[in-house]
Amino acid sequence: MRGYGQYCGLARSLEVVGDRWNLLIVRQLLLGPARYRDLIDGLPGIATNLLADRLRDLEASGVVERRLAGSGSVVEYALTPWGAELREPIESLIRWSAPLMVCGPGDDAFRPEWLALAVPALLGSRVKVRVSVTVGLEIGGSTFQLRASRAGFEIGPHDGRELDATVRAEPACILGLSAGALTLADARGLGLVEIDGDESVVRTVFAA
C-alpha cells in the first residue's frame, strides 16, 4: 500500500495493516501461531503468492515474526508483542460489525474457529458473570467450550472436561445471542437452538 503522506496515527496504522487480507492474517494469528499451510486453510480465497507477500510485509513492519515450531525445523508465524496489541481494535471491529452479520453467512465461507475471537469480544463488552461456568458450543460439527468467569470469557476446543450445558446452533444464532441481538427465549421459540444440561447457565452466559 502506498503511504498516505499524513502525520496521523490512523493513516500510519493503515499503511501497515490496511492492505487487503492483512487484518484477517492477524485474526488467524490471534488464535495462535500457525504454519503457512494452516494460514492458507484458515483464509479461504487467498492466493498462496499473495499470502507470502502479505506475511513478508507484516514481518518487515514488526507485526509478525517467524520462528521454529517446537524442536523441529518447521517454520511457524506468530504475532510480535506489538502485533498482538491489535486484538483490541479487531475486537472493537467485531462488535461494530454486529448489524452486518444479522443476515447470516449466505454463500460466504465460514470456519467455526473464527467464533473463538468473536464470541468473547461480543460477550465481554456487555455480560458479567459472578460464578465460573463452562458451556459447550456445537457448531458445524465442531465442539468448543466457552468458559465464563469474573475474569471474562475464553473459548477453545473442548478438552474433555464436564460441561454445565451444551448449546447446538448455527453460527448466526450464536453471534446473535453473543451480541444481545437475539434472546435465548426467542431463539428457543424459533427452533434455532437446542440446549442440553442446565439452561439457567446458558441464560447467565448469553444474558440479554
Side-chain angles (χ1 to χ4, degrees):
M1 176 180 284
R2 293 180 179 178
Y4 289 104
Q6 299 178 14
Y7 185 57
C8 163
L10 178 59
R12 291 195 173 178
S13 296
L14 290 174
E15 288 172 2
V16 174
V17 297
D19 270 336
R20 190 166 183 253
W21 293 105
N22 278 8
L23 283 180
L24 295 185
I25 292 170
V26 174
R27 176 198 67 193
Q28 293 303 116
L29 295 178
L30 282 171
L31 300 176
R35 301 178 183 183
Y36 187 84
R37 175 50 54 185
D38 297 329
L39 289 172
I40 285 287
D41 292 342
L43 294 163
I46 195 171
T48 56
N49 61 327
L50 182 58
L51 175 58
D53 289 343
R54 294 293 186 262
L55 286 170
R56 191 180 306 114
D57 291 344
L58 290 169
E59 185 178 5
S61 298
V63 175
V64 168
E65 62 183 3
R66 284 182 293 174
R67 63 193 191 191
L68 295 179
S71 59
S73 58
V74 177
V75 171
E76 67 179 9
Y77 294 88
L79 294 172
T80 64
W82 184 54
E85 291 178 10
L86 284 164
R87 177 180 294 274
E88 182 179 349
I90 286 176
E91 288 184 345
S92 294
L93 282 171
I94 289 172
R95 289 190 288 270
W96 181 80
S97 76
L100 304 175
M101 304 296 286
V102 172
C103 60
D107 294 329
D108 289 346
F110 170 74
R111 293 179 66 88
E113 64 264 27
W114 294 340
L115 293 178
L117 195 60
V119 170
L122 293 167
L123 288 174
S125 66
R126 65 179 197 84
V127 178
K128 302 296 181 185
V129 296
R130 298 178 180 177
V131 295
S132 297
V133 296
T134 304
V135 175
L137 302 178
E138 292 188 10
I139 307 160
S142 300
T143 302
F144 298 88
Q145 62 185 27
L146 173 64
R147 289 189 288 250
S149 68
R150 291 179 181 271
F153 296 87
E154 181 181 340
I155 190 171
H158 184 210
D159 61 7
R161 74 178 62 188
E162 185 176 354
L163 301 169
D164 297 301
T166 300
V167 176
R168 284 184 293 274
E170 293 297 315
C173 179
I174 295 295
L175 288 172
L177 291 170
S178 300
L182 179 67
T183 67
L184 189 61
D186 286 343
R188 291 293 299 271
L190 293 170
L192 299 176
V193 63
E194 297 179 6
I195 298 173
D196 292 334
D198 189 344
E199 185 171 332
S200 67
V201 169
V202 179
R203 287 198 300 270
T204 297
V205 171
F206 293 105

